[in-house]
Amino acid sequence: MTHASPTLPNLSALRTAITAMQSLCDRQPDEATWLAATGAILSALIAQDTWLPDSHAVSDAHYFQQHALHIDPAQRFSISSFVWGPGQGTPVHNHTIAGWVGVLRGAELCQRFTENGATSLGPAVRLDAGQIDAVSPHDAQIGDVHSVRNAFEDRNSVSIHIYRGDISRIQRSVFAQGEQKPFQSSYSAVPTLL
Ligand code: FE2
């Protein structure tokens, strides 16, 4: 009788992205350079949906999940998977650091808002698998305030986020009914992957 060996996750794509991010951060780029390079790194990472282990694609019945994939030891960047259950989404929020969202599985709707969170800007943008969208507190064209939600009401979507820092340690804000409230996101209990 033979025993099937457990399927090991294929982490080479994530390792490649981490190594590229480390090299980028070593060069201490300005934000525009960081955004351009990180966008390319994230695009390569989400080009194929072959590497994310099931442990980091777990959804929750009530809240979207943020699973840590890698946190740079010096907190220069972080990579996480967001898992959106059917119809789940965020309140209007800011980031205060630059970052990219890239859809790995399913689709998301991103709605930009003015920096005070009071007014939506343009129509929501749909991101399908393989597409990316940036946030930036320093580039008004990109903007830092948005809400994001699963484009699907009947299945999960998964996106990969790369931020210029450990997003769980960043003091930021949510906006609702004209009020700005302090907010800090937290990772799920699933351990960091790498
Ligand atoms: Fe966001």
Side-chain angles (χ1 to χ4, degrees), residues 27-104:
R27 299 195 291 275
Q28 300 186 313
D30 62 23
E31 187 175 283
T33 304
W34 186 93
L35 279 166
T38 302
I41 292 166
L42 180 58
S43 290
L45 179 59
I46 63 169
Q48 292 193 312
D49 183 7
T50 55
W51 56 270
L52 185 69
D54 292 345
S55 56
H56 289 69
V58 173
S59 62
D60 176 89
H62 301 290
Y63 302 105
F64 69 86
Q65 296 293 291
Q66 182 178 11
H67 305 300
L69 295 170
H70 177 78
I71 301 167
D72 180 62
Q75 298 172 36
R76 299 175 302 174
F77 68 95
S78 58
I79 308 178
S80 52
S81 57
F82 276 63
V83 183
W84 314 89
Q88 290 178 351
T90 71
V92 181
H93 63 275
N94 68 8
H95 309 81
T96 76
I97 54 174
W100 281 102
V101 175
V103 175
L104 181 70

Side-chain angles (χ1 to χ4, degrees), residues 20-29 34 72 76-77 164:
M21 287 302 302
Q22 289 166 340
S23 299
L24 172 64
C25 294
D26 288 346
R27 299 195 291 275
Q28 300 186 313
W34 186 93
D72 180 62
R76 299 175 302 174
F77 68 95
R164 197 176 192 186

Side-chain angles (χ1 to χ4, degrees), residues 82 90 93-95 101 135 144 146-148 161 163 172:
F82 276 63
T90 71
H93 63 275
N94 68 8
H95 309 81
V101 175
V135 293
D144 190 39
H146 69 178
S147 64
V148 180
H161 297 210
Y163 293 103
R172 46 204 185 111

